[in-house]
Amino acid sequence: MSTYQVALIGNPNCGKTALFNALTGSRHKVANYPGVTVEKRQGMLAINDTNIHLLDLPGIYSLRGISPDELVARQALLGELANEPIPNLIIFVADATNLALNLRLAIEVKALGYPMVIALNMMDVAKEQGVEIDIQQLSQLLNVPIIATVAVKKQGLNELRQQIATHIEAHPHKPSLNAWQEPSAEDLRQTYAIVDLMLNKTVTEKPWRHHLTEKLDRILLHPIWGMLCLLAILFCMFQAVFSWAVVIQNLMQTGIDATIQWLHHTLPDGPLTNLICDGVLAGVGSVVVFLPQILILFLFILVLEDSGYMARAAFLMDRLMSKIGLNGKAFIPMLSAYACAIPGIMAARTIENLKDRMVTIMITPLTTCSARLPVYTLLIAAFIPSKDVLGFINLQGLVMFLLYLAGISAALTMGFIFKKFLFKGRAPLMLMEMPIYRLPSLHNILVGLGERAKIFLMRAGTIILSVMILLWFLSSYPTPPASWHGAAVAYSFAGRIGQFLEPFFAPIGFNWQMVVALIPGLAAREAAIAGLGTVYAVSGNEDTIAQSLIQTLHHEWGLATGLAILAWYVFAPQCISTLAVTKRETNSWLWPTVMFVYMFSLAYLAAFIVFHITNYFL
Amino acid sequence: MQTPLTLDQIPKNKKAFITAIDDRSHPHAELSNIEKRLLEMGFVEGAPVMLLHEAPFSKDPLIVRLRNNRIAIRRSEAKCIQVQLQL
């Protein structure tokens, strides 16, 4: 017997993913649908010794496929995805507090010909609101079994499993499907009329109010207090990301350094030891230390999303985003991009309009991702004196702030330009449900964090690792002959590439060592530090090794060069992973190329201006 | 004929219900299929609505209550939703 497949489908915000998590526990994996980067959540569910594949389809409002998410959901249901068998059974997850909308969609989906079970979710909230539903009668009217569930409290799961088991026995084979036809506006109205008739017979609703939500909204959506709360939340988030995480990061860095030291002492000297220590461990280590930051950021994002606040933030930011032609939903990807551009670009999937999605993807790498932070910190420590200006502002902190400001200003400006010239079009729709406020569920947040950690580590484990090994090879070989007097790295492939490219970078004040160090920065921005370490540490000069990198840079480069590379880093299209994700998300080579060219030009221009202005004034 | 009252024009916290969805005045009605999207989101004739919040500064977008749910919507789309205040 082929595997039995069950798909979860429903409107967004119906608690579908919570139900999926509750049913599968942690036995699930997140992958992508081929060609598009719509997340594909798949898990296993054992019922009476039968293993069942459970698929969590993206939340939809219709089968029209307006956003990439919606399109995938439709294609999955219609069996249009290559190598994806259609499900045997559909569990339609319906929000019991929003029945008209949910049942309209359920009827549209059922018309495809699937056997269906409705999980009437959020029953606790419905009861709290005084909604009473005659489930038995509603089930008869719809001709679909209905199970009441509260996914976040794991209620109704056994009944749901039982219902699935019954279906496996009754329908062991795949259903034969009907063709889908896009309903007209009149069809939609008619379906609503049918649903209303059913609900009139089966649902008694007291006029209700969700008092907590109303009270919180009165503050959180207030023209003044609301904006202040948003700023306060963002401030706490950045504080947490950049100060709490540092403690853990330092611990991890110390551990990695100690391991490298230990391995150097224990293993016999040779190319393999060097590869393991200086290539693999140092490289991956410099990436893995960012895990705490990214997890803390996602902890905030997941809590804000789960509690219902994120939609409010998008609402408050909508006006600002619409100024550059985007909608408030673009705020979430840009916020995620402060940890890393990759989850940011991936979060752009929720934006329905293709053009807006493209603009958001194109400008997201300009937001200051956390990988730039160590580079900024190092360069600021090396070139900006730690003194107070105006009596109380630390100059180093001020420069850091300006760098962040430069990033966000550049992102907004470029967004405006892209929207104006490349992706001309109407202002997008902004139709967004504001869910009720709820306490976030610990289980969902832990599952979400686990997913993020996995995605990030996979990235560290694949692209970055391979590039770091390649770079280690390029900067170690060929080894110079005994008669060679300069630095070993100058003789290597990397040194030669650096020297070859130096004339091109000379106008912006970069020497060949910097060019060499920029190459590992292509794997991951922060790896440029490891690159600089390699370049200057293996330069053969013992004094250089003894000094810390900060002092080395301070002496080796002029102030103009130091500022120029800071300016470069605000814009540079450094990390290959970002370009790779852009390629996957846009499904074309054109957009990563455009991204690389425009960011490279901006970086070169900015570094050029900063270098020459600084030289002029010194 | 008097222009019909639309969702963006009603006072806050007053009960109303939808009398018609009409996107003909919307500049991108055809392209965005606004009527269908509004219907899919639950804005259908007869449904009870209420204006709850306006965004800071520009008073756009709005948050409206539709049946038991809250939905953010821009004024440009709210203009396509004709309503009648409940007396």
Side-chain angles (χ1 to χ4, degrees):
Chain A
M1 196 185 116
S2 65
T3 47
Y4 203 85
Q5 290 206 312
V6 176
L8 291 179
I9 188 122
N11 285 121
N13 302 318
C14 64
K16 194 164 49 61
T17 299
L19 187 64
F20 175 82
N21 288 343
L23 282 171
T24 59
S26 51
R27 297 169 64 203
H28 74 276
K29 61 174 188 210
V30 183
N32 286 315
Y33 287 97
V36 283
T37 330
V38 172
E39 258 168 32
K40 177 180 169 188
R41 263 167 231 277
Q42 229 175 352
M44 294 293 279
L45 178 65
I47 296 176
N48 304 341
D49 302 325
T50 315
N51 268 333
I52 292 161
H53 281 273
L54 193 66
L55 185 65
D56 183 17
L57 291 172
I60 59 174
Y61 286 108
S62 79
L63 290 174
R64 281 195 294 139
I66 296 170
S67 66
D69 275 17
E70 284 198 342
L71 192 61
V72 162
R74 181 180 85 200
Q75 288 170 333
L77 289 180
L78 295 178
E80 289 168 358
L81 292 174
N83 305 322
E84 290 285 335
I86 59 164
N88 295 62
L89 169 70
I90 288 200
I91 298 178
F92 188 92
V93 189
D95 171 0
T97 65
N98 196 8
L99 277 173
L101 189 73
N102 285 257
L103 293 186
R104 207 262 334 136
L105 182 64
I107 290 174
E108 188 180 340
V109 172
K110 186 169 183 284
L112 295 176
Y114 278 107
M116 183 189 267
V117 176
I118 291 180
L120 202 53
N121 199 25
M122 314 234 250
M123 277 304 282
D124 54 336
V125 186
K127 278 197 188 115
E128 202 181 294
Q129 291 175 356
V131 180
E132 271 174 51
I133 306 166
D134 182 346
I135 291 183
Q136 211 180 352
Q137 203 193 345
L138 186 60
S139 162
Q140 277 167 7
L141 289 172
L142 282 164
N143 195 20
V144 173
I146 299 179
I147 308 291
T149 58
V150 183
V152 287
K153 292 179 189 158
K154 307 199 170 169
Q155 288 171 12
L157 299 185
N158 281 334
E159 292 85 340
L160 197 55
R161 286 199 193 95
Q162 195 52 52
Q163 199 54 245
I164 297 172
T166 316
H167 262 272
I168 296 176
E169 271 174 37
H171 309 272
H173 302 291
K174 298 274 181 194
S176 56
L177 298 185
N178 306 324
W180 174 77
Q181 232 189 346
E182 181 177 327
S184 67
E186 273 329 297
D187 294 338
L188 293 174
R189 287 186 170 96
Q190 270 174 24
T191 317
Y192 273 120
I194 294 168
V195 170
D196 274 343
L197 277 178
M198 289 181 186
L199 295 183
N200 281 343
K201 285 186 193 157
T202 54
V203 177
T204 47
E205 254 175 297
K206 290 183 201 127
W208 69 275
R209 305 170 71 169
H210 196 261
H211 292 283
L212 175 71
T213 297
E214 283 182 20
K215 269 186 204 151
L216 279 175
D217 270 348
R218 228 169 283 149
I219 301 164
L220 294 174
L221 297 178
H222 187 272
I224 297 160
W225 305 125
M227 288 311 271
L228 286 178
C229 287
L230 177 63
L231 283 178
I233 289 169
L234 293 182
F235 181 79
C236 288
M237 189 163 129
F238 281 105
Q239 274 295 311
V241 167
F242 295 119
S243 59
W244 300 354
V246 171
V247 184
I248 313 167
Q249 280 174 313
N250 288 344
L251 278 176
M252 289 172 81
Q253 190 64 60
T254 316
I256 291 164
D257 290 346
T259 315
I260 293 176
Q261 284 286 328
W262 180 77
L263 283 175
H264 259 304
H265 284 294
T266 340
L267 296 174
D269 266 351
L272 187 65
T273 305
N274 287 342
L275 171 66
I276 291 173
C277 295
D278 302 330
V280 179
L281 267 178
V284 173
S286 68
V287 176
V288 171
V289 289
F290 285 95
L291 196 57
Q293 256 184 7
I294 287 182
L295 289 185
I296 289 179
L297 188 103
F298 273 110
L299 177 67
F300 269 85
I301 289 179
L302 288 169
V303 167
L304 291 180
E305 264 175 3
D306 232 34
S307 64
Y309 183 75
M310 206 47 126
R312 269 80 178 177
F315 168 77
L316 292 171
M317 295 306 288
D318 181 63
R319 189 64 187 175
L320 179 67
M321 301 307 271
S322 76
K323 285 266 198 301
I324 59 166
L326 298 174
N327 81 28
K329 285 184 191 170
F331 176 66
I332 297 164
M334 290 184 67
L335 197 62
S336 319
Y338 276 100
C340 174
I342 291 167
I345 288 172
M346 287 166 66
R349 276 189 308 244
T350 54
I351 299 170
E352 292 167 13
N353 182 285
L354 187 67
K355 287 175 179 172
D356 294 352
R357 201 164 156 249
M358 296 297 292
V359 175
T360 311
I361 289 174
M362 294 304 276
I363 64 173
T364 294
L366 283 173
T367 29
T368 309
C369 68
S370 64
R372 285 187 180 89
L373 193 70
V375 182
Y376 286 175
T377 312
L378 180 87
L379 294 173
I380 286 177
F383 294 101
I384 310 293
S386 176
K387 64 178 183 193
D388 287 350
V389 286
L390 298 173
F392 64 96
I393 302 168
N394 182 287
L395 188 60
Q396 291 188 333
L398 183 68
V399 170
M400 182 68 91
F401 177 74
L402 289 177
L403 290 170
Y404 269 83
L405 200 64
I408 189 68
S409 318
L412 294 178
T413 314
M414 286 311 296
F416 183 76
I417 293 172
F418 274 125
K419 188 75 192 177
K420 192 110 188 158
F421 297 104
L422 275 179
F423 302 102
K424 268 186 259 179
R426 69 218 161 68
L429 294 190
M430 152 89 178
L431 280 167
M432 201 176 185
E433 269 183 80
M434 299 286 132
I436 57 163
Y437 291 104
R438 299 198 74 152
L439 269 181
S441 122
L442 185 66
H443 181 241
N444 280 341
I445 286 178
L446 289 180
V447 168
L449 277 181
E451 286 172 13
R452 303 296 155 190
K454 224 185 199 164
I455 290 170
F456 180 75
L457 288 177
M458 297 266 282
R459 169 193 164 220
T462 53
I463 300 179
I464 296 173
L465 179 61
S466 42
V467 177
M468 286 311 286
I469 291 174
L470 179 70
L471 194 92
W472 168 83
F473 174 77
L474 287 179
S475 56
S476 308
Y477 293 95
T479 41
S483 57
W484 180 260
H485 289 299
V489 71
Y491 192 84
S492 70
F493 292 120
R496 292 175 205 193
I497 295 172
Q499 281 154 26
F500 174 74
L501 289 176
E502 193 179 19
F504 180 72
F505 285 96
I508 59 172
F510 290 11
N511 57 27
W512 69 264
Q513 287 96 333
M514 293 166 72
V515 179
V516 173
L518 289 180
I519 299 172
L522 289 173
R525 287 184 172 86
E526 68 276 14
I529 293 182
L532 279 173
T534 314
V535 172
Y536 284 105
V538 296
S539 288
N541 179 346
E542 296 218 347
D543 289 339
T544 322
I545 299 169
Q547 284 178 330
S548 78
L549 198 55
I550 293 177
Q551 280 152 338
T552 312
L553 296 185
H554 187 75
H555 292 295
E556 290 269 336
W557 305 349
L559 176 64
T561 299
L563 294 182
I565 195 166
L566 271 179
W568 166 272
Y569 248 85
V570 173
F571 304 103
Q574 282 276 325
C575 112
I576 286 182
S577 328
T578 303
L579 296 170
V581 168
T582 307
K583 199 250 145 199
R584 273 216 322 233
E585 291 283 323
T586 60
N587 219 355
S588 103
W589 283 106
L590 175 67
W591 297 114
T593 312
V594 171
M595 182 186 274
F596 182 84
V597 171
Y598 103 80
M599 290 182 73
F600 189 90
S601 314
L602 275 182
Y604 196 89
L605 191 71
F608 184 85
I609 293 170
V610 167
F611 182 66
H612 288 280
I613 288 182
T614 317
N615 269 340
Y616 180 81
F617 282 106
L618 283 181
Chain B
M1 194 188 108
Q2 189 188 355
T3 45
L5 190 64
T6 53
L7 183 56
D8 58 309
Q9 296 165 333
I10 55 176
K12 274 193 205 170
N13 300 316
K14 287 270 185 277
K15 285 182 185 171
F17 61 91
I18 300 177
T19 53
I21 306 290
D22 181 356
D23 64 3
R24 277 173 298 180
S25 64
H26 195 285
H28 308 290
E30 200 75 14
L31 199 64
S32 318
N33 231 325
I34 292 191
E35 185 185 17
K36 271 192 196 177
R37 197 59 179 169
L38 288 174
L39 283 165
E40 284 162 0
M41 296 290 293
F43 290 98
V44 63
E45 286 81 358
V49 284
M50 183 188 273
L51 177 59
L52 294 178
H53 300 277
E54 295 168 324
F57 310 123
S58 53
K59 297 185 182 280
D60 188 19
L62 314 167
I63 290 181
V64 297
R65 183 152 136 197
L66 169 66
R67 294 196 179 89
N68 287 345
N69 287 71
R70 287 152 302 276
I71 297 184
I73 182 171
R74 288 199 182 140
R75 282 186 184 271
S76 49
E77 281 76 57
K79 275 194 206 318
C80 304
I81 301 170
Q82 297 174 9
V83 295
Q84 194 174 325
L85 284 170
Q86 225 163 53
L87 301 171

